[in-house]
Amino acid sequence: MPSPAYLLKRVDFIFKDEKDWKEILKNSINRPAHELINELISSELKGRGGAGFPTGLKWKLTAEVDDSIKYVICNADEGEPGTFKDREILSKVPLKVLTSMAVCGHVIGSKEGYIYLRGEYFFLQPELNKSIREFKDYCNEINFDFTIRIFMGSGAYICGEETALFESMEGKRGEPRNKPPFPSTYGYMGKPTVINNVETLAHCYTIFEYGSKRFYDLGVQYSRGSKLFSVSGDTPKPGIYELELGMSLVDFVDEFGDGDTKAVQVGGASGFLVPRKGFRETTIGFQGKLTGISLPTGGSMMLFNSSRSMYNVLDNYLEFFREESCGQCTPCRVGCQQLLNGIKAVKRGEKNALYLNKLMRLTETMQYTAKCGLGQSVANSFSAIVENFREEMIY
Amino acid sequence: MYPVTELIKNLADRHGRERRNLLPILQGVVEQEKYLSEYSMIEIARELDLPASEVYGTATFYSFLEYKKMGKYIIRICKTITCSMKGKNQIIKTIEDMLKINVGETTPDGNFSLLQTNCLGFCHKAPAMLINYEVYTDLTPEKVREILTNYINKKGREE
């Protein structure tokens, strides 16, 4: 029986065993750089950290820069609330990530790679180091010069932002830089740098193993391939699932909801909140022409049922942002504080309900003027919650 | 255990004395001392030939680099949305009752500090906490009491 188009499609690429890594590494580094880049470009793989920049293009841009020192960085500063897939990749199939980093080194002309591992995942270090040593031994054996090291973070959400991550690795406060210049020309230590999310690198491995077509055939236009989803909140089956991109949110809720789902937070606190009435028209993937409402996510899917107060949810998000704002730009630093104070004042009855409109205008200002994605994205969940659950905000 | 000046020197020898080696050195001091005293920060600045204010500015940016004296075991309870929904307040109450301290405090014997932290990445097994670098998930008040009792006994055996 052909499966109806609306069903969720489970995929099993990421956690498929990594036993052929030596062969894949050896074959890949014997292929010319442009061929590998074209393979990635035709797969249409987009960054899996959430922002969705085309991976092949990122490698291409960095490869084209002429510099004797370049870096490959794996962003394992997984801090978005509701995301926990990268840890699973690094503990189950670390060699896939290391292999892709080395292939990237071959493509762009880099001999040094770093894994920026968040401080909360310190316990992963011993096992990961073991894999790194095993990997290095093989590189030596085949005379391939590439060294990977771990750089530990120390508990700062903002360091997942790529330029803040570079600052942090350079021994400074994790404050995002202005862009441009972009990492492809000016990254870690001012050198051309490819920085990819853990999952993106794991997908690259799949593409090197099976070719771009296997990957491209999954998903929908603009959103090719599969993606890991971290499912949590009010669900009978929390966990990590690899699904094809382009699914409808209503199907997702049918599969993972508890029958009483009131809203889904797609993409973590900095992502998008979809109330029940929007489930049917929302798909999960990257926005493109003609896609309708399509929401990108780094994988975080949090479900809320009707027992949850959306005021409490927003209060929790804002406290998170207030604490994690790096503080360098005023719209974000003061904005997050004022939004939190503001909703508390409305809840206590010290400000009337119209004050919520003023706060909405503040989030708009932040969207335009904040320096990085943190301050810019606060508006997403703020406006969705205030617009759709206004009563809960006031009473 | 090294005296802190010697520790800093060793760490600088191992990691290097460039600005980009600052974080691993700060982390190394926190690993042994549990926090960065003003004295350690000044010593690190001297060792790396940096202004002390730069070291202080960097260290205080990161939530895992404590700059107040901490207990031997630092308990960090995740307070982000899913853990908060799944009962982290009960967990905190249980620990506060057991250790007779509030969030942000250290037990008088210097063994335990209780803190809250942002998302630990265990939302599917909420609520979650860290004790130093050890993760504990799917917590219930009973489970937390058992875990802490083990730590208290372990502490007793060591002495």
Side-chain angles (χ1 to χ4, degrees):
Chain A
M1 195 181 77
S3 58
Y6 55 82
L7 283 183
L8 296 185
K9 289 175 220 147
R10 297 272 175 98
V11 182
D12 183 24
F13 271 138
I14 297 262
F15 295 119
K16 201 187 145 289
D17 68 78
E18 52 183 8
K19 63 178 172 13
D20 296 330
W21 69 271
K22 288 182 180 172
E23 209 182 306
I24 289 164
L25 176 66
K26 210 162 127 187
N27 291 343
S28 301
I29 58 172
N30 283 323
R31 294 171 72 182
H34 67 89
E35 207 181 295
L36 290 157
I37 288 172
N38 287 339
E39 193 83 69
L40 286 181
I41 289 177
S42 49
S43 76
E44 291 190 18
L45 168 63
K46 292 180 182 173
R48 293 302 197 237
F53 191 83
T55 307
L57 184 60
K58 192 180 265 187
W59 288 25
K60 184 169 187 261
L61 290 170
T62 316
E64 281 166 355
V65 182
D66 185 26
D67 203 317
S68 58
I69 299 176
K70 296 182 187 178
Y71 296 103
V72 179
I73 294 175
C74 167
N75 186 345
D77 193 48
E78 177 176 56
E80 188 64 51
T83 318
F84 37 86
K85 60 182 177 79
D86 292 343
R87 182 192 60 239
E88 206 74 359
I89 296 174
L90 287 175
S91 44
K92 287 196 177 142
V93 287
L95 288 161
K96 288 193 178 183
V97 177
L98 304 180
T99 302
S100 292
M101 287 177 75
V103 175
C104 180
H106 159 67
V107 167
I108 67 164
S110 157
K111 299 191 183 329
E112 252 181 280
Y114 289 93
I115 298 173
Y116 188 100
L117 187 63
R118 70 188 300 225
E120 288 83 344
Y121 293 169
F122 188 89
F123 62 91
L124 286 182
Q125 251 197 124
E127 282 298 310
L128 192 53
N129 268 323
K130 222 191 271 173
S131 303
I132 290 175
R133 274 195 300 275
E134 184 189 347
F135 187 80
K136 182 68 187 163
D137 286 345
Y138 182 68
C139 286
N140 290 341
E141 201 182 305
I142 60 171
N143 273 326
F144 179 66
D145 183 12
F146 193 75
T147 308
I148 298 174
R149 295 184 187 88
I150 298 177
F151 190 98
M152 286 307 300
S154 266
Y157 165 75
I158 191 60
C159 291
E161 200 282 343
E162 53 191 20
T163 58
L165 185 149
F166 300 146
E167 290 288 304
S168 173
M169 282 182 66
E170 291 174 14
K172 298 178 226 157
R173 296 164 67 87
E175 294 175 350
R177 301 171 181 166
N178 280 318
K179 288 192 266 191
F182 292 100
S184 53
T185 51
Y186 191 91
Y188 173 53
M189 301 303 285
K191 292 292 175 187
T193 305
V194 163
I195 175 162
N196 282 139
N197 172 262
V198 176
E199 187 190 344
T200 310
L201 291 163
H203 283 297
C204 290
Y205 181 95
T206 305
I207 293 165
F208 299 142
E209 185 173 12
Y210 296 111
S212 54
K213 189 161 182 313
R214 279 284 284 274
F215 185 86
Y216 181 86
D217 285 346
L218 299 174
V220 296
Q221 198 183 6
Y222 307 112
S223 300
R224 295 293 172 188
S226 58
K227 166 102 195 66
L228 286 185
F229 289 92
S230 314
V231 182
S232 68
D234 295 313
T235 165
K237 37 183 177 185
I240 297 164
Y241 301 87
E242 186 173 358
L243 303 169
E244 245 182 271
L245 278 177
M247 66 187 166
S248 143
L249 192 53
V250 76
D251 295 332
F252 177 86
V253 172
D254 280 349
E255 174 81 22
F256 292 102
D258 60 359
D260 187 25
T261 306
K262 156 159 114 174
V264 180
Q265 182 75 32
V266 180
S270 70
F272 305 85
L273 183 116
V274 185
R276 188 183 283 150
K277 66 178 182 201
F279 290 170
R280 203 159 286 281
E281 63 197 35
T282 307
T283 56
I284 304 302
F286 301 103
Q287 189 75 46
K289 278 174 281 176
L290 312 171
T291 49
I293 302 172
S294 191
L295 298 178
T297 168
S300 171
M301 302 292 277
M302 298 189 284
L303 295 94
F304 304 120
N305 70 19
S306 61
S307 74
R308 304 298 173 189
S309 149
M310 295 314 285
Y311 170 84
N312 287 347
V313 170
L314 185 58
D315 185 291
N316 189 288
Y317 289 172
L318 290 173
E319 192 178 307
F320 176 83
F321 286 128
R322 187 193 58 184
E323 287 175 11
E324 297 294 346
S325 168
C326 78
Q328 70 166 322
C329 80
T330 316
C332 177
R333 182 185 65 245
V334 181
C336 291
Q337 292 167 8
Q338 290 307 317
L339 290 174
L340 183 59
N341 293 341
I343 64 161
K344 282 186 195 293
V346 171
K347 192 74 175 176
R348 285 195 300 259
E350 292 162 14
K351 296 272 185 195
N352 71 30
L354 290 175
Y355 191 65
L356 289 173
N357 300 351
K358 276 196 174 170
L359 295 177
M360 293 270 273
R361 283 211 296 283
L362 173 57
T363 62
E364 268 171 52
T365 307
M366 290 166 69
Q367 200 165 12
Y368 292 122
T369 56
K371 189 168 176 179
C372 80
L374 192 157
Q376 290 162 8
S377 62
V378 175
N380 298 340
S381 37
F382 190 92
S383 54
I385 292 178
V386 170
E387 275 167 15
N388 292 294
F389 302 96
R390 204 175 174 87
E391 268 190 355
E392 294 183 33
M393 301 302 296
I394 303 166
Y395 303 107
Chain B
M1 287 279 276
Y2 297 100
V4 75
T5 24
E6 200 176 319
L7 173 70
I8 290 166
K9 211 176 155 311
N10 291 345
L11 286 165
D13 286 340
R14 175 142 57 102
H15 296 289
R17 286 178 167 75
E18 285 172 59
R19 177 72 193 250
R20 66 165 157 173
N21 309 119
L22 179 57
L23 234 58
I25 294 172
L26 293 169
Q27 288 161 347
V29 173
V30 171
E31 204 177 332
Q32 182 185 297
E33 303 281 303
K34 300 296 164 204
Y35 83 115
L36 291 155
S37 63
E38 217 177 285
Y39 178 78
S40 333
M41 288 195 255
I42 291 170
E43 277 306 306
I44 293 170
R46 200 197 311 275
E47 196 65 44
L48 268 61
D49 200 19
L50 284 171
S53 61
E54 284 283 325
V55 174
Y56 179 83
T58 306
T60 54
F61 184 85
Y62 297 90
S63 65
F64 279 25
L65 301 177
E66 302 293 342
Y67 51 96
K68 283 185 213 132
K69 198 164 170 47
M70 285 286 141
K72 182 164 186 245
Y73 298 108
I74 304 177
I75 307 169
R76 290 186 166 92
I77 313 286
C78 176
K79 65 168 180 178
T80 307
I81 184 69
T82 313
C83 287
S84 167
M85 278 163 41
K86 305 275 171 173
K88 69 99 184 159
N89 282 342
Q90 270 179 295
I91 304 301
I92 288 182
K93 177 100 191 16
T94 308
I95 300 177
E96 286 181 338
D97 287 350
M98 238 182 124
L99 298 178
K100 312 269 183 300
I101 51 171
N102 294 319
V103 170
E105 294 176 351
T106 301
T107 52
D109 59 8
N111 281 338
F112 294 96
S113 296
L114 178 59
L115 301 174
Q116 297 195 75
T117 188
N118 282 326
C119 194
L120 289 176
F122 284 90
C123 318
H124 57 324
K125 295 179 179 173
M129 69 174 178
L130 283 177
I131 300 184
N132 291 349
Y133 295 117
E134 217 53 52
V135 187
Y136 299 91
T137 59
D138 294 309
L139 298 174
T140 59
E142 297 74 41
K143 205 169 158 186
V144 164
R145 271 192 286 268
E146 198 179 307
I147 294 165
L148 278 190
T149 309
N150 281 341
Y151 270 90
I152 292 166
N153 292 341
K154 189 161 117 191
K155 185 68 201 137
R157 276 200 307 276
E158 279 166 15
E159 272 159 9

